Amino acid sequence: MTSSSSAIHKLEDYKPTPWLTPSVDLRFDLDLHLTVVRAEYEVVLSANQREPLFLNGESLDFLSIRIDGTILDPNEYQVSPVGILIPNPPKDKFKLSVENRINPAGNTSLEGLYKSGSMLCTQNEPEGFRKIVYSIDRPDNMMRFRVTISGDGTLFPIMLSNGNPISENTFADGKKEVVWEDPYLKPSYLFALVAGELVETKDFFLTMSGREVTLKIFVEKGNEEKVSFAFDSLKKAMKWDEDTFGLEYDLDLFMIVAVEDFNMGAMENKGLNLFNAKLVLADKKSATDESFEAILAVIAHEYFHNWTGNRVTLRNWFNLTLKEGLTVFRDQWFTEDMTDPAVKRIKDVLFLKEFQFPEDQGPMSHPILPKSYKEMNNFYTVTVYEKGAEVIRLVSELIGRENFKKGLKHYLSKYDGQGVTFEEFISSMEEVASHSIPNLRNWYHRSGTPLISVKETYSQDSNEWVFDLADTGSSEYPLVFSNSLAVFNREGSLLKEERRIMTGDRDQIRLPALDETGTKPIVSFFRSLSSPVRLEYKQSEEEIQILAKMETDGVSKFFAFQNLVFDWFRKSLASGKEENFSVILDTISDSFGKGWDKTYHSFYLSFPGLTQISESVGCYEFQKLSDLRLKAIQKITTTFTPQFQTLFEENRKTIPIQTKEEIGKRRLKNTALFYLLHDPSKKFERLAMMEQREAKHMSEEVSALKYLLEVDSKEKENSVNLFFEKWQKDSLVLDVWFAAQVASGENRTQVAEELENHPQFNIRNPNKVRSLYFSLARNPLSFHKEDGSGYDFIADRIKRLNEINPQMAAALTKLFSPVSKQKGELPKLAKKQLESIASLPNLSKELGEIVVTILNSL
Ligand code: TRP
Ligand code: ZN
């Protein structure tokens, strides 16, 4: 462990870097256990006065330091576990050479230079570069990179870095040496290096100006047949960015490498994107429809960063949302255009509500522009990413999408090659809209999901209904909202649509009554979630049902139906008995035979999961919720068995290709199967086994497996074994197999204990850790079990991960956030576990920050 400086970084303390290194010549002498790295920087003073020069460096074995070729005297610098300090640099401009050793094979943190499978690779965002070589490792220091990689040509036949290949030589002794140069300035976090035994696959893209760009995807041997979907996705993304924003790729080569051991999804290193293998590799046999969609979205996301993030980058890490919120918004828009906008929006809003809303109401709550952090790795959050994207979407609502396109182009040309803050982005948007947007910036400073209350009153004098909206939250940061609303009559006919901008904390909407007797119109607010808010509006069951059937906005229609379901839970919990369910059945009945898009219909029919229900109704008695949920599902099943059988049969023969039609059929068929499996007679379980055996697409196999496990079928062991026999050689598919066995139901902690001894489980591989430990910790029935066994198990694994991979340890600990809301002894039991984590002798900076934050809420 490195000695961790636990300093807090505060936004208000931000100062530009006093020294810059505008260019660097890097040299790597590769070896799995002992790699020598040398950097030669051009150093220039950028402050008015000469200040001490500090180079970051962690877990490095220092070798030498020179200025203008002369070795420094030991009293001219100080080496510490966090870097090198040169108190009195001799001049304003000089050449600085540093040299150090690292051990890539011993680096399990997956940050810096590390070994994964048959390759060495890097991960430097946000502060991994300092684990490779001493450097001014901050995004406001931009460099031109020249990189020489040298090593054993048989161990490392492929050697990659950013930009353009300049030369390649193999020497008589088997040594190989390649040189790469990146013509674009970039901060250290965008640097990448990959070396190893990889298979190269190739394609090309013709840009709008007629340049041919070579596209390459590098994979480990055996995976070369699984790249065609990734190539197609990349070409679609490149074309879309040209068509939508006029943005063209700026190098002649674009490379992607699929990496097995990777902490997150993917990384946008200039010209050399690194990907978690599960977000590149896919074929119809081994990938689900969801994983195809994830690949499309993430390939696009990383590609889009080339402009939003790389060409225009960040001044400091507080502004992470400037590139992430914006790029998520861009990839969401892309997927809306490539698939179905309503379905995509439903997925994004569901994700926001299930993960970001709780984060924002819990101990980890922070504004999208965090004001302070100890460890930046902990702030790659759903708030920075997904709420950040919602704020950008809000900007596009406020100024219109055409202005937004102009504004983005304006922003990118005005700040090309610079590191900026959200202010430069917002002011660019205001410039093209030719007006300022009051309160918009406060979205960057206020944490928590705004709660908008709606009070309705009837005014007899004018025969009007008056709707008073109020932002009930903090007035320290008044906001601006886009409220897209629609008015319906009691038959559900659309009377009026309007987009209102609410600046500040209230708005009043007056609508004429529907007739002389003062009948109230039905209003749908914040359609498609036009602002990231929670709504507190008590509408009658009748009104909600009309919206669930008749809303012309598919997204709001979907969420109206969900509200009917959540209201039933609320009422049933309050009365302690199952309340009348007929409105829900009637609404479902109405949805059959309407000819809806199949994917849309399958979403509409999908019954909300336990976590979603508990968050929506604010109840954390999971066993109670689970019992109610089961009864509700069974009611739906028994009422509509023939309809589900028909849906199943009609959509049975699907062709294993990624078209809208076939994806829709698979989804709808699987949804039908889910309900059929809840038939108390259990007579459909054989159907699921047959489905699994005869499946032509992974979505079919996985659904059968998951549902049989979820209903705790007698067939579940057969299903688990069948799946394993077939897929034991495919590590990515086994991730799904591990996850499915612990993701639902009680007492899955014991199952996880057995599975972690499985020869294919590996705690060093983040995908396996996510499949097993994260899935278990997201299964409320097992994790929040009253005896505390879920907490004990996960806390113990967090302690192990602290030694191996602190980022994963910290991320897993975040799943303890909701413990303060649990009943009985649970908060106390969790506290005990968290305290024992906090007292670990080698507590990492990552884990320390999270565990203390959660403990403070207990
Ligand atoms: N910038 C990456 C993205 O596109 C995310 C990222 C940050 C990341 N840190 C990482 C990816 C560490 C992998 C490993 O969102
Ligand atoms: Zn990103």
Side-chain angles (χ1 to χ4, degrees):
M1 279 286 102
T2 52
S3 92
S4 50
S5 79
S6 48
I8 297 183
H9 302 273
K10 290 192 181 143
L11 174 59
E12 65 198 50
D13 296 340
Y14 170 78
K15 280 208 311 259
T17 170
W19 295 90
L20 293 167
T21 55
S23 73
V24 61
D25 202 331
L26 277 177
R27 185 184 167 89
F28 289 82
D29 286 295
L30 292 180
D31 178 88
L32 290 180
H33 299 280
L34 202 165
T35 289
V36 177
V37 191
R38 194 194 67 203
E40 190 168 301
Y41 298 103
E42 186 192 341
V43 182
V44 296
L45 181 67
S46 89
N48 295 328
Q49 282 176 13
R50 226 178 277 165
E51 287 182 34
L53 167 58
F54 185 71
L55 301 170
N56 303 96
E58 283 174 21
S59 311
L60 303 178
D61 192 0
F62 173 77
L63 289 175
S64 73
I65 183 162
R66 291 160 219 255
I67 285 183
D68 290 332
T70 309
I71 295 243
L72 290 196
D73 210 76
N75 63 23
E76 291 174 303
Y77 66 94
Q78 296 146 23
V79 180
S80 79
V82 293
I84 302 178
L85 180 70
I86 306 174
N88 297 304
K91 326 178 187 174
D92 292 355
K93 194 171 185 312
F94 50 90
K95 277 231 145 61
L96 177 91
S97 308
V98 279
E99 212 175 5
N100 57 258
R101 292 189 298 206
I102 48 180
N103 173 5
N107 177 2
T108 59
S109 70
L110 313 189
E111 194 181 46
L113 181 69
Y114 66 92
K115 180 176 180 294
S116 174
S118 62
M119 73 181 102
L120 290 183
C121 63
T122 55
Q123 172 55 44
N124 294 324
E125 183 179 5
E127 298 178 332
F129 195 69
R130 63 190 61 184
K131 290 180 155 190
I132 295 176
V133 67
Y134 292 98
S135 59
I136 301 175
D137 186 16
R138 41 187 290 172
D140 57 1
N141 176 38
M142 307 203 18
M143 298 174 250
R144 210 186 131 104
F145 282 78
R146 183 189 159 89
V147 181
T148 305
I149 310 170
S150 165
D152 181 340
T154 53
L155 265 180
F156 308 110
I158 302 266
M159 296 175 165
L160 310 173
S161 192
N162 320 82
N164 304 312
I166 300 298
S167 69
E168 172 165 348
N169 285 299
T170 308
F171 301 101
D173 62 353
K175 265 249 145 65
K176 182 175 169 134
E177 190 169 296
V178 303
V179 178
W180 289 82
E181 248 178 44
D182 185 350
Y184 293 98
L185 286 178
K186 66 172 177 289
S188 49
Y189 84 87
L190 290 172
F191 165 77
L193 179 150
V194 173
E197 220 190 315
L198 294 165
V199 181
E200 174 187 307
T201 62
K202 214 163 138 176
D203 203 338
F204 74 94
F205 178 77
L206 198 60
T207 72
M208 62 188 194
S209 72
R211 267 188 315 115
E212 190 177 304
V213 177
T214 304
L215 313 175
K216 292 184 179 179
I217 298 180
F218 295 89
V219 299
E220 296 198 55
K221 212 184 263 142
N223 288 330
E224 51 278 21
E225 303 299 325
K226 292 190 178 179
V227 295
S228 66
F229 188 81
F231 272 127
D232 287 345
S233 303
L234 177 58
K235 288 183 279 183
K236 281 183 185 158
M238 294 176 89
K239 179 77 168 64
W240 184 87
D241 222 14
E242 292 183 345
D243 294 347
T244 312
F245 295 105
L247 296 174
E248 191 176 328
Y249 186 59
D250 55 3
L251 287 163
D252 296 330
L253 174 62
F254 186 83
M255 298 175 283
I256 287 176
V257 183
V259 184
E260 207 185 320
D261 306 296
F262 208 68
N263 274 347
M264 300 220 238
M267 181 61 215
E268 70 266 22
N269 315 300
K270 182 77 187 189
L272 179 56
N273 288 357
L274 264 62
F275 272 67
N276 187 323
K278 74 170 177 200
L279 290 163
V280 181
L281 305 175
D283 60 23
K284 62 189 180 194
K285 288 243 157 60
S286 65
T288 59
D289 290 318
E290 285 71 28
S291 62
F292 279 110
E293 192 181 306
I295 291 170
L296 177 71
V298 179
I299 293 218
H301 178 97
E302 305 310 329
Y303 174 72
F304 296 156
H305 269 314
N306 190 54
W307 282 98
T308 50
N310 300 4
R311 285 288 288 262
V312 176
T313 192
L314 309 179
R315 186 166 300 161
N316 54 47
W317 290 115
F318 300 104
N319 279 278
L320 179 62
T321 197
L322 171 65
K323 76 175 175 81
E324 295 305 344
L326 175 55
T327 305
V328 170
F329 174 63
R330 272 153 56 66
D331 84 54
Q332 290 178 348
W333 185 347
F334 166 73
T335 302
E336 284 172 15
D337 285 354
M338 293 297 130
T339 59
D340 180 287
V343 169
K344 173 60 177 162
R345 187 64 184 143
I346 288 170
K347 290 183 193 174
D348 290 339
V349 175
L350 280 172
F351 185 84
L352 190 79
K353 289 188 172 181
E354 186 166 347
F355 298 102
Q356 198 279 324
F357 283 15
E359 177 171 276
D360 227 352
Q361 268 59 250
M364 289 293 302
S365 176
H366 55 277
I368 61 171
L369 187 84
K371 298 297 171 286
S372 70
Y373 61 86
K374 276 189 182 162
E375 171 51 60
M376 191 55 211
N377 273 319
N378 289 331
F379 285 84
Y380 288 77
T381 59
V382 282
T383 296
V384 165
Y385 276 64
E386 270 70 28
K387 185 179 179 181
E390 292 300 318
V391 172
I392 303 293
R393 181 179 295 266
L394 172 63
V395 173
S396 81
E397 294 261 336
L398 293 172
I399 69 173
R401 287 222 171 171
E402 286 315 308
N403 265 335
F404 184 89
K405 290 180 189 173
K406 281 191 212 140
L408 185 66
K409 285 189 234 180
H410 174 57
Y411 162 74
L412 293 173
S413 60
K414 189 167 175 185
Y415 299 108
D416 192 12
Q418 299 181 39
V420 298
T421 72
F422 78 97
E423 174 55 36
E424 282 75 19
F425 177 80
I426 297 295
S427 60
S428 298
M429 290 293 165
E430 289 177 332
E431 276 160 37
V432 295
S434 342
H435 61 83
S436 65
I437 307 170
N439 295 350
L440 177 57
R441 287 160 183 78
N442 283 345
W443 278 101
Y444 287 79
H445 304 305
R446 177 164 147 186
S447 61
T449 313
L451 182 64
I452 307 290
S453 72
V454 182
K455 300 250 155 25
E456 44 186 34
T457 43
Y458 175 61
S459 153
Q460 193 122 35
D461 302 347
S462 56
N463 192 27
E464 278 177 321
W465 280 85
V466 183
F467 299 85
D468 282 296
L469 275 64
D471 170 7
T472 60
S474 108
S475 59
E476 189 190 350
Y477 292 114
L479 300 172
V480 55
F481 304 90
S482 165
N483 183 359
S484 167
L485 63 92
V487 184
F488 299 84
N489 67 18
R490 309 305 291 190
E491 286 72 50
S493 304
L494 177 67
L495 301 179
K496 165 184 168 142
E497 291 179 298
E498 187 186 353
R499 198 171 52 76
R500 294 179 70 91
I501 295 175
M502 165 167 154
T503 304
D505 62 1
R506 45 202 68 233
D507 190 22
Q508 188 176 76
I509 300 159
R510 306 177 77 90
L511 295 168
L514 293 173
D515 54 28
E516 315 75 62
T517 67
T519 305
K520 189 174 37 149
I522 302 171
V523 193
S524 179
F525 291 109
F526 294 100
R527 297 170 94 199
S528 287
L529 200 71
S530 51
S531 299
V533 298
R534 292 178 295 154
L535 197 62
E536 190 180 66
Y537 179 28
K538 299 252 173 323
Q539 262 170 317
S540 70
E541 187 175 68
E542 181 204 344
E543 291 180 15
I544 303 174
Q545 191 192 18
I546 289 170
L547 293 176
K549 287 180 174 180
M550 306 293 284
E551 234 294 20
T552 50
D553 177 305
V555 180
S556 293
K557 182 164 69 183
F558 169 90
F559 283 102
F561 180 51
Q562 282 219 321
N563 281 340
L564 275 185
V565 174
F566 296 144
D567 272 349
W568 177 82
F569 275 95
R570 276 187 208 104
K571 282 186 271 178
S572 302
L573 286 165
S575 69
K577 61 175 205 291
E578 290 156 64
E579 289 293 322
N580 189 317
F581 202 65
S582 58
V583 175
I584 291 167
L585 295 177
D586 175 66
T587 312
I588 291 176
S589 162
D590 211 54
S591 80
F592 290 116
K594 278 255 178 78
W596 285 354
D597 171 84
K598 289 185 173 171
T599 304
Y600 181 83
H601 197 193
S602 82
F603 267 90
Y604 196 89
L605 293 175
S606 299
F607 204 86
L610 216 44
T611 310
Q612 239 184 310
I613 297 167
S614 104
E615 284 300 330
S616 302
V617 308
C619 165
Y620 298 88
E621 291 171 84
F622 293 105
Q623 199 53 59
K624 234 188 219 172
L625 287 178
S626 176
D627 294 345
L628 272 175
R629 179 174 181 268
L630 188 63
K631 298 232 170 76
I633 294 170
Q634 284 175 340
K635 241 178 221 138
I636 296 173
T637 300
T638 49
T639 312
F640 299 110
T641 306
Q643 285 88 336
F644 288 129
Q645 281 181 290
T646 308
L647 281 186
F648 187 83
E649 289 306 327
E650 275 178 1
N651 296 295
R652 187 133 196 215
K653 294 266 167 302
T654 88
I655 310 165
I657 51 172
Q658 297 313 114
T659 60
K660 202 170 171 229
E661 175 65 17
E662 297 306 314
I663 294 169
K665 279 171 143 180
R666 276 191 289 275
R667 276 210 71 108
L668 202 47
K669 172 186 68 172
N670 287 334
T671 306
L673 180 64
F674 171 85
Y675 283 106
L676 292 174
L677 282 177
H678 283 84
D679 189 294
S681 78
K682 314 242 176 233
K683 63 180 176 221
F684 296 103
E685 294 183 356
R686 276 184 42 245
L687 197 64
M689 281 309 293
M690 203 160 82
E691 172 83 351
Q692 189 182 339
R693 241 177 244 116
E694 292 171 7
K696 294 199 176 59
H697 195 284
M698 186 50 84
S699 276
E700 301 168 324
E701 273 180 71
V702 167
S703 299
L705 172 73
K706 275 191 188 158
Y707 300 157
L708 285 168
L709 281 159
E710 188 176 333
V711 301
D712 211 12
S713 158
K714 284 198 309 296
E715 299 283 357
K716 76 180 179 198
E717 254 161 63
N718 288 336
S719 173
V720 166
N721 293 337
L722 177 66
F723 196 95
F724 180 76
E725 288 308 317
K726 187 162 171 197
W727 294 108
Q728 50 184 316
K729 293 217 170 62
D730 193 321
S731 168
L732 292 177
V733 179
L734 284 190
D735 290 343
V736 180
W737 180 79
F738 278 111
Q741 294 180 70
V742 297
S744 60
E746 295 172 79
N747 302 325
R748 295 304 197 263
T749 303
Q750 287 99 303
V751 177
E753 252 172 58
E754 286 161 30
L755 283 174
E756 69 180 343
N757 293 318
H758 193 281
Q760 308 259 52
F761 182 78
N762 174 8
I763 195 172
R764 286 170 196 247
N765 176 265
N767 288 351
K768 292 285 178 292
V769 168
R770 283 185 198 281
S771 295
L772 202 57
Y773 301 152
F774 283 64
S775 300
L776 180 72
R778 289 203 174 101
N779 168 353
L781 286 175
S782 287
F783 185 52
H784 302 293
K785 201 173 159 62
E786 311 83 64
D787 62 2
S789 55
Y791 297 165
D792 295 356
F793 177 82
I794 294 295
D796 183 70
R797 296 335 178 250
I798 289 167
K799 292 178 190 172
R800 293 187 202 176
L801 282 165
N802 178 56
E803 303 286 330
I804 299 167
N805 186 333
Q807 276 183 54
M808 296 305 289
L812 185 54
T813 307
K814 285 180 183 175
L815 303 184
F816 273 95
S817 296
V819 291
S820 67
K821 298 187 254 181
Q822 307 307 313
K823 288 266 166 310
E825 295 292 292
L826 281 172
K828 248 173 58 195
L829 293 168
K831 189 170 183 199
K832 208 178 103 216
Q833 289 299 332
L834 291 167
E835 279 168 347
S836 95
I837 293 173
S839 64
L840 284 176
N842 284 333
L843 186 66
S844 62
K845 224 200 309 182
E846 281 90 342
L847 181 51
E849 180 173 29
I850 302 297
V851 87
V852 166
T853 305
I854 299 174
L855 272 173
N856 287 339
S857 74
L858 284 169

